[in-house]
Amino acid sequence: MSAKKKEKKVATERHYNIIKAPVITEKATMISEHNQVACYVDMTATKAEIKGAFEALFDVTVLKVNTLRQYGKNKRFKGRLGRRSDYKKAIVTLKEGDQVDLTSKVV
């Protein structure tokens, strides 16, 4: 029998580029009661990369990652046509008892 070694998770530069900022809304606050965290992530990030970034940066166990892409609308401002930015949002479900303070680690 071979014993499995626990791999030490190292945060790389890519991990810091994946997680952009926390989502600060009423709904994001309400889901935090169910061990979930909402944050904006890189548009090219996959669910596996988001999970790895959370586990490496915050030392928590991620159970599930849900993502959504929001495409920017065309809007008018003072008669000029503009466009809102596209973004990708991730809702990460954590193991019972784990907590993340996104405001302290992500810049």
Side-chain angles (χ1 to χ4, degrees):
M1 281 205 305
S2 63
K4 288 186 176 180
K5 293 182 182 179
K6 279 194 169 182
E7 295 179 20
K8 184 171 181 174
K9 296 176 182 170
V10 179
T12 63
E13 185 178 338
R14 173 74 177 143
H15 289 147
Y16 286 104
N17 292 335
I18 289 174
I19 302 172
K20 299 285 187 188
V23 176
I24 310 294
T25 60
E26 275 187 60
K27 190 171 184 178
T29 305
M30 287 175 18
I31 65 169
S32 66
E33 297 171 1
H34 303 287
N35 279 357
Q36 293 180 331
V37 179
C39 63
Y40 297 112
V41 294
D42 186 40
M43 287 289 280
T44 61
T46 64
K47 289 182 179 186
E49 289 175 335
I50 295 168
K51 179 180 179 178
F54 260 86
E55 290 179 344
L57 292 176
F58 301 109
D59 195 30
V60 295
T61 304
V62 175
L63 299 179
K64 185 167 64 169
V65 177
N66 295 335
T67 59
L68 63 100
R69 295 176 75 144
Q70 182 69 48
Y71 296 100
K73 295 180 176 181
N74 290 326
K75 299 296 257 180
R76 290 193 177 274
F77 181 70
K78 294 188 177 179
R80 294 188 178 256
L81 188 62
R83 182 169 173 83
R84 290 184 183 170
S85 299
D86 300 341
Y87 61 88
K88 186 172 187 176
K89 187 164 54 171
I91 299 172
V92 180
T93 305
L94 304 175
K95 188 177 91 174
E96 191 69 37
D98 286 349
Q99 284 184 325
V100 170
D101 184 20
L102 282 175
T103 57
S104 65
K105 289 250 183 173
V106 180
V107 176

